[in-house]
């Protein structure tokens, strides 16, 4: 029995910046992202005005998760190099860090791990902009954060029930809410004017075969999500490995050796993950 | 490559990742061997931790890790693809621990 009105939930989620529990900086960022006319200059100014935010963005860009060999020392340089959409995503990623940690212990680690694997896989597949896929890996579970801040007591119960029911968090959400974090994430990604590719990956990261415009990218994030959970890095809401999407598996076509290499490389890129966002 | 707080550093340890100061300038290169002097300098500069060469400490034994993998994959029983991924992960864990020996 769905215990919640989907339209009401959507309204709540889309107006998350009005919640009393949201920190002031994040409110500003969410308001800013909602504005569809953000330009490269505007976003550089916005980030540069806030030294803490600047530091967080630079730390993230220079981290092994993105694999930039050189050190990027200014926000301007970062924006030019990565493009508006990646910076928008990163701005959100680093700013929801605290919220993510409060909402669900381990979700930040899960997201970072997924981002690191997505980055490695995107490069392996020769994609032109691996950073776009990396940011999608970082934000794929943003819907969980929104559920956790908008319906905290209920969401906590859902997480707690997964072990008892033998459900993944996705199944638990579908059963109780009649909607899941992937859909919730897509609501907000649309509201925040994220590019279609990112919206699609967030929406279909559990059903990669449904992604139309960014199918390979979506398959990459899906497989990264499964592999990072299989490895047991971070916590994504339950203790099970969700079933891998056959289409994604076939589409990416990794050998056993590839996967082992990927996991070892990821290990190295996440050794100093603790400093990210902190 | 363990990450060690500056308080826990001892002379003779070798730096495995460059150390930067707050302006992003490299103050210690990879492969630098630490001395009392260098450690004191790091403390004065309020550097919190550095990466040094050597064994990484795992928080769990290999057997615990493998057991947890089995649990996580409980739902994938009898699904060949999931069984396959489980085996790869277990072999990966074996490899990680073997490297550290």
């Amino acid at each position: 029995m769905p215990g919640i009105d989907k339209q009401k939930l959507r309204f709540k989620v889309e107006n998350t910046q009005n919640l009393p529990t949201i920190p002031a900086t994040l409110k500003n960022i969410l308001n800013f992202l909602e504005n569809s006319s953000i330009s490269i200059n505007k976003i550089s100014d916005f980030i540069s005005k806030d030294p803490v935010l600047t530091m967080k963005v630079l730390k993230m860009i220079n981290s092994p998760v993105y694999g930039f060999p050189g050190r990027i020392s200014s926000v301007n340089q970062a924006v030019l190099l990565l493009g508006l959409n990646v910076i928008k995503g990163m701005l959100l990623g680093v700013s929801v860090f605290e919220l993510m940690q409060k909402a669900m212990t381990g979700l930040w680690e899960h997201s970072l791990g997924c981002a690191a694997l997505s980055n490695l896989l995107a490069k392996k597949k020769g994609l032109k902009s691996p950073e776009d896929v990396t940011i999608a890996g970082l934000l794929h579970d943003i819907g969980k954060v929104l559920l956790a801040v908008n319906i905290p007591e209920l969401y906590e119960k859902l997480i707690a029930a997964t072990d008892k029911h033998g459900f993944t968090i996705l199944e638990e959400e579908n059963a109780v809410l009649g909607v899941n974090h992937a859909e919730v994430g897509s609501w907000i990604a649309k509201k925040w004017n994220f590019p279609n590719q990112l919206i699609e990956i967030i929406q279909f990261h559990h059903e990669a075969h449904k992604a139309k415009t960014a199918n390979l990218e979506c398959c990459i994030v899906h497989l990264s999500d499964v592999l990072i959970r299989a490895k047991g890095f971070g916590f994504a809401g339950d203790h099970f490995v969700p079933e891998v999407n056959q289409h994604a598996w076939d589409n990416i076509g990794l050998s056993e050796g590839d996967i082992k290499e990927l996991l070892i490389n990821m290990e190295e890129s996440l050794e100093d993950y603790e400093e990210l966002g902190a | 490559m363990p990450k060690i707080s500056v308080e826990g550093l001892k002379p003779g340890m070798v730096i495995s990742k460059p150390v930067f100061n707050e302006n992003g300038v490299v103050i210690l290169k990879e492969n630098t061997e630490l001395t009392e002097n260098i450690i004191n300098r790091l403390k004065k500069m309020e550097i919190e931790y550095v990466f040094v060469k050597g064994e990484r400490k795992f928080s769990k034994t290999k057997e615990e890790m493998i057991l947890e993998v089995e649990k996580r994959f409980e739902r994938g029983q009898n699904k060949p693809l999931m069984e396959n991924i489980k085996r790869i992960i277990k072999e990966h864990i074996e490899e990680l621990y073997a490297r550290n020996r």
Side-chain angles (χ1 to χ4, degrees):
Chain A
M1 181 198 72
I4 202 149
D5 182 323
K6 195 165 154 181
Q7 283 316 312
K8 275 189 194 156
L9 180 64
R10 182 163 186 163
F11 180 81
K12 250 180 133 169
V13 165
E14 288 182 340
N15 291 285
T16 296
Q17 76 267 34
N18 296 330
L19 284 182
T21 49
I22 301 289
T25 352
L26 185 55
K27 278 183 194 178
N28 286 337
I29 291 168
L30 298 184
N31 276 323
F32 178 73
L33 288 176
E34 218 179 283
N35 181 348
S36 55
S37 66
I38 303 177
S39 66
I40 284 200
N41 287 336
K42 272 191 195 161
I43 202 162
S44 291
D45 284 352
F46 182 85
I47 298 174
S48 302
K49 266 185 212 149
D50 182 337
V52 178
L53 203 56
T54 301
M55 189 197 70
K56 284 182 178 176
V57 168
L58 289 178
K59 252 189 186 175
M60 181 64 114
I61 295 167
N62 286 306
S63 80
V65 173
Y66 288 84
F68 278 110
R71 290 178 61 84
I72 299 169
S73 54
S74 76
V75 170
N76 270 327
Q77 193 189 350
V79 177
L80 286 174
L81 191 70
L82 298 173
L84 187 58
N85 287 326
V86 170
I87 293 295
K88 261 172 82 172
M90 196 172 291
L91 184 57
L92 182 66
V94 297
S95 57
V96 296
F97 162 75
E98 271 166 59
L99 207 58
M100 237 192 211
Q101 287 218 315
K102 267 184 216 153
M104 203 192 285
T105 310
L107 185 59
W108 172 250
E109 287 79 2
H110 166 70
S111 302
L112 265 184
C114 184
L117 276 180
S118 299
N119 183 273
L120 293 169
L121 264 175
K123 284 175 181 159
K124 188 161 185 64
K125 298 307 283 183
L127 293 186
K128 278 196 188 126
S129 176
E131 294 77 33
D132 282 303
V133 191
T134 313
I135 212 71
L138 189 71
L139 298 178
H140 75 284
D141 271 347
I142 192 81
K144 287 178 186 168
V145 180
L146 289 156
L147 285 170
V149 296
N150 280 290
I151 46 167
E153 291 90 8
L154 183 54
Y155 204 59
E156 211 167 289
K157 276 185 197 154
L158 294 191
I159 295 171
T162 55
D163 273 335
K164 197 172 68 188
H165 296 158
F167 277 5
T168 62
I169 186 70
L170 180 90
E171 290 163 341
E172 197 69 46
E173 290 162 358
N174 281 334
V176 177
L177 306 176
V179 63
N180 61 52
H181 67 269
E183 193 179 348
V184 170
S186 77
W187 295 343
I188 204 75
K190 282 175 199 158
K191 168 104 182 197
W192 289 333
N193 297 300
F194 277 126
N196 285 335
Q197 170 175 325
L198 182 54
I199 297 172
E200 200 180 65
I201 297 174
I202 292 173
Q203 186 167 6
F204 296 123
H205 71 269
H206 288 283
E207 309 165 287
H209 57 285
K210 290 188 182 168
K212 298 272 187 300
T213 57
N215 191 271
L216 181 58
E217 289 84 351
C218 192
C219 291
I220 287 175
V221 172
H222 167 75
L223 188 60
S224 303
D225 185 19
V226 172
L227 287 177
I228 198 73
R229 293 178 60 156
K231 188 172 155 63
F233 187 81
F235 179 69
D238 62 69
H239 295 102
F240 302 107
V241 182
E243 197 172 348
V244 68
N245 181 285
Q246 186 73 48
H247 162 81
W249 182 260
D250 295 341
N251 195 12
I252 298 178
L254 294 179
S255 71
E256 275 183 30
D258 290 339
I259 295 179
K260 284 182 189 159
E261 192 193 327
L262 197 67
L263 292 170
I264 290 283
N265 289 340
M266 188 216 63
E267 195 79 18
E268 281 160 11
S269 76
L270 283 179
E271 267 181 342
D272 50 1
Y273 76 90
E274 291 115 328
E275 56 178 320
L276 297 176
Chain B
M1 271 202 284
K3 180 165 145 181
I4 293 201
S5 86
V6 167
E7 300 302 318
L9 290 175
K10 293 193 178 74
M13 287 179 167
V14 178
I15 296 290
S16 65
K17 280 187 188 179
V19 180
F20 298 91
N21 71 7
E22 54 190 12
N23 299 319
V25 178
V26 178
I27 50 170
L28 286 181
K29 284 190 204 153
E30 200 180 325
N31 295 324
T32 308
E33 191 176 323
L34 294 175
T35 60
E36 283 289 355
N37 257 338
I38 297 177
I39 296 172
N40 287 333
R41 239 171 60 213
L42 290 173
K43 285 180 188 163
K44 272 191 197 139
M45 297 180 80
E46 293 182 0
I47 305 263
E48 280 170 38
Y49 57 84
V50 298
F51 287 88
V52 296
K53 296 200 169 174
E55 274 188 17
R56 218 179 108 197
K57 281 195 196 111
F58 289 105
S59 53
K60 289 171 188 155
T61 66
K62 187 176 80 183
E63 289 66 30
E64 286 170 329
M65 295 271 274
I66 299 277
L67 195 69
E68 285 183 14
V69 174
E70 291 288 352
K71 272 194 195 157
R72 285 200 289 279
F73 275 88
E74 255 170 26
R75 290 165 40 106
Q77 272 168 354
N78 307 321
K79 288 172 185 154
L81 187 49
M82 294 307 282
E83 288 288 349
N84 202 11
I85 296 176
K86 180 169 87 178
R87 183 182 47 77
I88 296 171
I89 295 284
K90 279 158 73 175
E91 287 172 10
H92 161 72
I93 291 171
E94 296 278 352
E95 193 189 327
L96 270 187
Y97 279 78
R99 277 185 165 205
N100 236 17
R101 224 172 275 146

